[in-house]
């Protein structure tokens, strides 16, 4: 058995707990291996339990060709009767085993199997925003998986199931705790708990990392301060790191949110990001640990938040130690349904940069809305930064190839909790899956990933597969349409970020209001980031900066991101901006309704329980879409003073009623 204890209970209903790992068979394939190890044993057992063909040979080989595929790469050669999985390291064999099983489950086994795979990014890491009290910041799938209260004595079987799910899609690292980090995580008692998790994850090829609180030396160590230039401080970190590696010899390193949204950092002492990051890097270096230093910084006094990460970090390019990587959110503001890529990608060239994606749907309807995010990430990864001429995609600027960095990584903020189905919404599992697959191979299409996921999770019946795949592929754009089309952004209700609140104007900081982002007036709407405005366009390479700067060439998707335009501005298709906005919102509503129809029809082909679960959420999504449309159009209409085009369904709400809605965080933990 793969799972410890008596974990494999029969679930009375199909609750989605098995994720995409459903290929178990009683066939009992013959599997041999030329070496034994905990990792190879897992690969062997997976194949014994899942492979429906003939003999599989797992072969660890130290050849030049295999070494070129790296620690995680593998080759598969043979046919359904006899097949070899070869790798130069045991992780490679494990990934090869999962790959072969995936080929089988998705109908890709041919008479001549020849596969060679090597991951695009070295570190493929989940970021859990899990607090030590088990709440999850921006988590919509129940409490944290980590039972800090029970560890290290009691070990939940879900830890191993989690590791297995990640390994099956190539994820090889995890940050266990929230970037808004409690210093307590570094206490000896917590490190004992972390060690237990690391031991469980290790055979699955998963390394553990921790988010740290920059003030830990002061708070935990009782030092006077946590100033990186106070000699006692780096010493404290050195000792702490030593303590960690004693327990966890393959510990990955630290993730740091510093001087951001009230978190402590080196600037508290007049020092820089470089001072802070390098101090930690020096402590980790002897053990091959790394620092992932986040660039999510924005100060209240800068007139354009979108410019700040670039402005603050570019001057430090090349000044960080070689075991520091800068972690940058995909967009320059904050995980909005659509943003252009952050200009740090491609611009920062001497220091490696990694993308931070958000798998959890903080800004895309929590686990109530069906939003397949692979299309968003694909759009991002394939965006051309033009940093070294055409073809300098974000993917290449971060996978080490464009700037010859030996450190490459990609991270995703996890959407996992203790809910039976792990992610709250059955289709949110697809986002976890897609993150892993894209981290492995950023050239995969969202279509191909959705295809795999549906076949493995639900069904390969074309009557189900075809419409449901289309629904998934359309879903993120639908959310953009009914929430904030044409480049609008951050008009979310304050705090919880679920519903619309474009009228929100009173906050401790201007950049925490919605009016700051849309700037609607009687005359116009949008954020002017052109050369005449905040000049954020200048942070992009040519020809993007010119393209973005001109409303005639700026893609419609980013129009109001970069431009403040009159309501009767003529769009490329001849519509006025106001009408175009109305039609986009309406389109979003129609799409959400279409998803209901698709699901009701296709759903009869799958189990009742998951069918109903998704159906109930699609109802919420459709009604939320109307709520968004009415709130935004009625509110913006108070400025535009123009009629909503008469072929569009009329609002069914009163603006004043919508303004009274106060969600009691009902959608969060
Ligand atoms: O998106 C915002 C979230 C915060 C989060 C922050 C960050 C962890 O609203 O909840 O804090 O970004 O990424 O640091």
């Amino acid at each position: 058995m793969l799972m410890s204890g008596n974990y494999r209970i029969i679930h009375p209903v199909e609750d989605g707990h098995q994720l995409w790992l459903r290929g178990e068979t009683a066939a009992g394939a013959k599997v041999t291996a030329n070496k034994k190890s905990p990792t190879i044993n897992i690969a062997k057992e997976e194949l014994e339990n899942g492979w429906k063909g003939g003999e599989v040979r797992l072969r660890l080989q130290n050849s030049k060709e295999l070494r070129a595929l790296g620690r995680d790469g593998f080759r598969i050669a043979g046919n359904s009767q006899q097949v070899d999985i070869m790798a130069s390291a045991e992780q490679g064999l494990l990934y090869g085993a999962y790959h072969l099983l995936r080929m089988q489950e998705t109908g890709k086994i041919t008479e001549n199997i020849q596969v060679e795979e090597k991951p695009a990014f070295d570190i493929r890491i989940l970021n859990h925003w899990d607090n030590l009290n088990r709440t999850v910041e921006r988590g919509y799938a129940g409490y944290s998986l980590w039972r800090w209260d029970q560890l290290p004595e009691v070990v939940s079987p879900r830890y191993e199931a989690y590791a297995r799910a990640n390994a099956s899609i190539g994820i090889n690292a995890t940050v266990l705790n929230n970037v808004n980090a409690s210093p307590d995580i570094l206490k000896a008692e917590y490190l004992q708990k972390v060690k237990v998790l690391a031991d469980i994850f290790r055979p699955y090829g998963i390394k553990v990392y921790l988010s740290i609180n920059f003030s830990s030396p002061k708070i935990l160590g009782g030092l006077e301060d946590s100033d990186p230039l106070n000699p006692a401080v780096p010493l404290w970190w050195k000792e702490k790191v030593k303590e960690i590696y004693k327990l966890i010899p393959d510990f990955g390193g630290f993730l740091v949110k510093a001087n951001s949204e009230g978190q402590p950092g080196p600037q508290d002492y007049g020092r820089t990001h470089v001072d802070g990051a390098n101090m930690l890097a020096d402590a980790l270096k002897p053990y091959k640990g790394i620092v992932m230093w986040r660039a999510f910084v924005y100060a209240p006094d800068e007139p354009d938040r979108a410019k700040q990460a670039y402005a603050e970090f570019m001057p430090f390019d090349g000044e960080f130690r070689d075991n520091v990587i800068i972690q940058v959110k995909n967009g320059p503001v904050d995980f909005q349904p659509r943003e252009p890529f952050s200009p740090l990608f491609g611009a920062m060239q001497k220091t490696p940069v990694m993308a931070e994606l958000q798998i959890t749907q903080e800004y895309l309807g929590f686990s109530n809305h069906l939003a397949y995010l692979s299309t968003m990430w694909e759009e991002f990864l394939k965006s051309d930064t033009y940093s070294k001429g055409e073809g300098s995609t974000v993917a290449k600027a971060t996978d080490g190839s464009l700037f010859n960095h030996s450190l490459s990584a990609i991270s995703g903020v996890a959407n996992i909790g203790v809910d039976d189905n792990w992610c709250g919404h059955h289709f949110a599992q697809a986002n976890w899956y897609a993150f892993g697959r894209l981290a492995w191979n950023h050239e995969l299409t969202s279509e191909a990933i959705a295809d795999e996921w549906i076949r493995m999770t639900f069904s390969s019946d074309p009557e189900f597969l075809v419409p449901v795949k289309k629904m998934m592929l359309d879903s993120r754009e639908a959310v953009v349409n009914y929430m904030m089309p044409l480049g609008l952004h951050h008009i979310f209700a304050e705090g919880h970020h679920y519903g619309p609140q474009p009228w929100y104007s009173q906050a401790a900081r201007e950049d925490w209001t919605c009016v700051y982002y849309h700037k609607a007036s009687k005359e116009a709407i949008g954020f002017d980031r052109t050369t005449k405005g905040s000049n954020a366009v200048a942070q992009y390479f040519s020809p993007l900066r010119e393209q973005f700067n001109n409303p005639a060439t700026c893609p419609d998707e980013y129009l109001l991101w970069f431009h403040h335009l009159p309501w009767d501005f003529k769009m490329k298709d001849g519509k006025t901006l106001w009408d175009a906005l109305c039609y986009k919102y309406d389109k979003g509503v129609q799409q959400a309704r279409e998803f209901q129809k698709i699901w009701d029809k296709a759903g009869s082909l799958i189990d009742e329980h998951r069918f109903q679960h998704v159906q109930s959420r699609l109802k919420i999504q459709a009604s939320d879409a109307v709520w968004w449309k009415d709130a935004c159009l009625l509110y913006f209409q108070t400025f535009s003073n123009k009629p909503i085009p008469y072929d569009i369904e009329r609002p069914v709400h009163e603006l004043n009623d919508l303004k009274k809605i106060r969600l009691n965080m009902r959608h969060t933990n």
Side-chain angles (χ1 to χ4, degrees):
M1 286 300 286
L2 271 171
M3 300 295 162
S4 44
N6 46 15
Y7 182 60
R8 284 205 173 168
I9 47 166
I10 304 299
H11 287 277
V13 290
E14 170 54 274
D15 58 8
H17 192 72
Q18 294 177 78
L19 299 161
W20 48 86
L21 295 162
R22 294 160 180 269
E24 214 163 301
T25 161
K30 183 174 175 214
V31 185
T32 58
N34 66 351
K35 203 188 157 207
K36 275 196 177 141
S37 81
T39 300
I40 295 175
N41 294 350
I42 293 170
K44 194 163 172 280
E45 281 185 43
E46 288 285 13
L47 290 161
E48 281 164 355
N49 292 333
W51 179 242
K52 294 174 189 138
E55 185 180 357
V56 189
R57 297 187 302 190
L58 291 163
R59 290 161 58 186
L60 199 63
Q61 282 177 354
N62 195 11
S63 72
K64 204 173 148 218
E65 292 74 31
L66 290 174
R67 274 201 312 272
L69 300 176
R71 193 194 45 193
D72 295 344
F74 57 83
R75 270 195 67 198
I76 307 178
N79 55 47
S80 59
Q81 288 321 301
Q82 170 142 39
V83 61
D84 289 341
I85 303 178
M86 294 155 278
S88 67
E90 51 185 27
Q91 283 102 313
L93 291 182
L94 183 62
Y95 294 132
Y98 285 121
H99 191 91
L100 185 66
L101 291 168
R102 178 167 48 243
M103 285 175 71
Q104 169 183 277
E105 295 309 301
T106 56
K108 297 211 179 82
I109 299 294
T110 57
E111 261 326 290
N112 180 18
I113 307 170
Q114 291 292 344
V115 175
E116 212 171 81
E117 292 264 334
K118 178 182 179 318
F121 298 94
D122 291 332
I123 302 174
R124 307 172 294 277
I125 189 166
L126 289 180
N127 287 185
H128 286 269
W129 285 357
D130 294 21
N131 299 312
L132 301 186
N133 66 5
R134 298 194 59 233
T135 57
V136 180
E137 183 154 348
R138 312 305 178 183
Y140 315 105
Y143 285 103
S144 168
L145 283 183
W146 324 129
R147 299 293 315 243
W148 299 112
D149 51 333
Q150 299 180 344
L151 284 163
E153 288 85 13
V154 182
V155 171
S156 157
R158 283 196 80 162
Y159 304 151
E160 191 177 351
Y162 163 86
R164 177 183 181 227
N166 280 321
S168 77
I169 50 174
I171 291 172
N172 67 352
T174 183
V175 184
L176 298 176
N177 61 320
N178 192 353
V179 288
N180 292 326
S182 162
D184 289 353
I185 192 70
L186 294 181
K187 281 186 176 164
E189 72 181 270
Y190 272 96
L191 293 178
Q192 289 295 341
K193 301 170 198 273
V194 172
K195 173 194 160 44
V196 172
L197 294 175
D199 288 344
I200 296 169
F201 300 164
R202 187 170 299 110
Y204 287 89
I206 296 168
K207 277 193 188 181
V208 162
Y209 293 67
L210 293 175
S211 297
I212 57 105
N213 183 299
F214 200 81
S215 288
S216 299
K218 184 174 173 196
I219 301 171
L220 283 190
L223 301 191
E224 207 161 291
D225 55 44
S226 300
D227 181 351
L229 268 61
N230 167 0
V233 171
L235 210 64
W236 186 88
W237 283 111
K238 246 178 123 176
E239 286 304 309
K240 188 44 88 179
V241 166
K242 192 166 157 199
E243 182 188 342
I244 297 174
Y245 279 91
K246 231 187 208 151
L247 293 168
I248 309 164
D250 58 350
F251 179 70
F254 295 144
L255 170 62
V256 193
K257 172 173 177 177
N259 294 120
S260 159
E261 298 184 330
Q263 291 299 315
Q267 292 172 353
D268 303 352
Y269 308 100
R271 316 298 178 202
T272 66
H273 291 292
V274 175
D275 297 328
N278 287 354
M279 168 187 66
L280 296 171
D282 288 343
L284 289 158
K285 181 79 180 177
Y287 311 92
K288 300 198 169 78
I290 67 158
V291 175
M292 294 168 291
W293 190 270
R294 293 175 93 227
F296 180 66
V297 293
Y298 58 105
D301 39 4
E302 154 70 50
D304 183 2
R305 172 172 167 184
K307 285 172 63 182
Q308 296 188 55
Y310 181 101
E312 205 164 319
F313 277 83
M314 274 310 285
F316 298 133
D317 191 12
E319 291 192 25
F320 293 96
R321 299 280 191 265
D322 63 2
N323 57 334
V324 175
I325 188 164
I326 305 302
Q327 182 165 314
V328 182
K329 290 187 182 186
N330 58 292
V333 169
D334 192 4
F335 297 140
Q336 298 301 289
R338 172 169 276 125
E339 296 188 39
F341 67 88
S342 161
L344 274 170
F345 296 106
M348 215 171 184
Q349 305 187 351
K350 295 187 208 117
T351 295
V353 172
M354 65 189 280
E356 177 177 324
L357 308 173
Q358 195 180 42
I359 310 172
T360 190
Q361 291 168 234
E362 173 181 359
Y363 294 104
L364 286 104
F366 296 6
S367 51
N368 283 339
H369 292 201
L370 190 159
Y372 175 54
L373 303 181
S374 181
T375 49
M376 169 158 81
W377 303 330
E378 187 183 347
E379 171 180 299
F380 161 69
L381 289 165
K382 292 184 177 159
S383 293
D384 201 339
T385 69
Y386 290 94
S387 66
K388 283 194 157 185
E390 208 176 327
S392 308
T393 60
V394 168
K396 289 186 187 155
T398 52
D399 70 4
S401 62
L402 201 60
F403 308 124
N404 278 322
H405 289 306
S406 53
L407 190 55
S408 75
I410 186 165
S411 63
V413 180
N415 63 348
I416 304 161
V418 289
D419 275 7
D420 286 343
N421 71 15
W422 299 85
C423 302
H425 197 303
H426 287 286
F427 278 79
Q429 296 178 353
N431 294 332
W432 178 7
Y433 183 87
F435 169 74
R437 297 291 288 135
L438 282 172
W440 183 274
N441 179 358
H442 55 61
E443 277 164 19
L444 288 175
T445 65
S446 299
E447 201 267 335
I449 296 171
D451 192 275
E452 283 178 9
W453 179 79
I454 297 169
R455 287 175 193 269
M456 294 174 79
T457 308
F458 282 112
S459 163
S460 293
D461 180 342
E463 301 224 6
F464 182 86
L465 180 76
V466 175
V468 170
K469 186 161 60 181
K470 177 162 177 0
M471 168 173 79
M472 287 172 74
L473 291 172
D474 289 346
S475 59
R476 178 272 187 144
E477 198 66 41
V479 177
V480 172
N481 287 336
Y482 63 69
M483 285 188 182
M484 36 204 94
L486 298 179
L488 285 175
H489 51 286
H490 227 315
I491 52 176
F492 287 97
E494 178 238 336
H496 55 71
H497 299 160
Y498 185 75
Q501 203 178 349
W503 48 85
Y504 182 57
S505 62
Q506 301 296 325
R509 291 166 54 157
E510 221 200 318
D511 55 357
W512 285 347
T513 69
C514 295
V515 296
Y516 169 92
Y517 294 99
H518 64 69
K519 302 204 185 310
S521 69
K522 295 270 175 232
E523 291 75 37
I525 180 171
F527 201 123
D528 186 355
R529 296 193 165 106
T530 67
T531 43
K532 297 198 188 82
S534 79
N535 201 21
V537 291
Q539 295 180 339
Y540 291 91
F541 287 91
S542 283
L544 279 185
R545 63 166 71 141
E546 293 80 14
Q547 199 189 98
F548 290 155
N549 196 48
N550 179 351
T553 52
C554 181
D556 283 357
E557 292 81 25
Y558 305 131
L559 197 61
L560 301 177
W561 183 282
F562 287 111
H563 297 274
H564 186 67
L565 296 171
W567 292 106
D568 53 12
F569 170 81
K570 278 261 171 315
M571 302 290 290
K572 295 181 187 81
D573 64 2
K575 283 195 197 80
T576 65
L577 172 59
W578 166 251
D579 282 358
L581 202 62
C582 293
Y583 284 114
K584 283 285 184 196
Y585 275 105
D586 188 60
K587 171 106 199 256
V589 169
Q590 288 178 35
Q591 286 174 302
R593 294 222 174 99
E594 185 63 29
F595 298 162
Q596 290 186 284
K597 291 181 202 152
I598 290 172
W599 189 249
D600 282 358
K601 186 158 175 234
S604 62
L605 297 164
I606 61 154
D607 56 281
E608 186 67 15
H609 192 260
R610 285 187 297 174
F611 166 68
Q612 280 181 8
H613 196 273
V614 173
Q615 186 189 48
S616 70
R617 270 149 192 81
L618 285 172
K619 289 178 186 165
I620 299 174
Q621 183 166 6
S623 81
D624 284 350
V626 178
W627 172 27
W628 269 96
K629 166 183 168 243
D630 285 3
C632 296
L633 290 185
L634 290 172
Y635 169 71
F636 290 133
Q637 193 178 34
T638 64
F639 299 99
S640 80
N641 260 316
K642 292 176 187 300
I644 294 171
Y646 296 108
D647 53 343
I648 288 178
E649 220 173 279
R650 316 320 293 162
V652 294
H653 299 97
E654 297 296 339
L655 182 57
N656 277 335
D657 294 338
L658 295 176
K659 284 189 176 178
K660 282 184 212 138
I661 295 177
R662 294 276 176 278
L663 287 188
N664 190 17
M665 303 296 281
R666 71 183 155 101
H667 299 278
T668 56
N669 289 314

